[in-house]
């Protein structure tokens, strides 16, 4: 693999992670992990977005009323979106909100990290 930043396309620091090549390889690996993580929690983020868009129903509705004047004050930890057989709680609204917040924090942090490592 040849890298535009490192025309020789190889490590020059003996694998200590200090050269341009090593940093670029590290970024590519982190890119892959961040991308996989974001993709894996995307369904949860979509649910959190649907909650904000008031697109969920019943106890997961964010606002209701003639002019949406009522706000759901239920703790998101107590709003079960999916439960399995035997009543085991598998997914709450809180899980989705946390997943979305984590993705947001990851994107912000990763942007800073990329700038520092580039
Ligand atoms: Zn190196």
């Amino acid at each position: 693999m040849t890298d535009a930043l490192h025309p020789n396309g190889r490590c020059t620091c003996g694998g200590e992670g200090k050269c341009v090549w090593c940093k670029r390889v590290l970024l590519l690996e982190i890119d892959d992990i961040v991308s996989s993580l974001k993709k894996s929690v995307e369904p949860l983020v979509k649910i959190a977005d649907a909650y904000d868009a008031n697109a969920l129903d019943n106890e997961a509705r964010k606002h209701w009323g003639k002019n949406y004047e009522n706000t759901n004050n239920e703790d998101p930890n107590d709003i079960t979106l999916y439960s399995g057989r035997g009543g085991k709680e598998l997914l709450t609204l809180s899980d989705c909100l946390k997943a979305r917040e984590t993705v947001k924090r990851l994107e912000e942090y990763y942007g800073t990290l990329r700038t520092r490592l580039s």
Side-chain angles (χ1 to χ4, degrees), residues 27-94:
L27 277 176
L28 290 176
E29 290 170 351
I30 296 172
D31 262 348
D32 188 48
I33 293 168
V34 167
S35 169
S36 294
L37 180 64
K38 284 173 64 179
K39 201 168 198 165
S40 70
V41 298
E42 194 176 273
L44 304 183
V45 173
K46 283 182 180 175
I47 291 170
D49 289 344
Y51 174 69
D52 281 349
N54 209 36
L56 302 179
D57 63 7
N58 299 326
E59 71 275 13
R61 198 174 354 179
K62 191 171 188 177
H63 300 286
W64 72 94
K66 190 177 177 186
N67 299 306
Y68 300 103
E69 66 274 16
N70 303 304
T71 298
N72 189 347
N73 293 319
E74 190 77 28
D75 184 337
N77 285 301
D78 297 332
I79 299 176
T80 301
L81 299 175
Y82 182 73
S83 60
R85 292 175 190 244
K88 186 169 173 58
E89 185 178 272
L90 299 175
L91 180 67
T92 66
L93 179 59
S94 180

Side-chain angles (χ1 to χ4, degrees), residues 11-13 15 19 22:
C11 172
T12 58
C13 72
C19 74
C22 281

Side-chain angles (χ1 to χ4, degrees), residues 6 10-23:
H6 197 305
R10 61 182 174 82
C11 172
T12 58
C13 72
E16 291 180 16
K18 295 177 180 171
C19 74
V20 173
W21 174 255
C22 281
K23 288 178 182 176

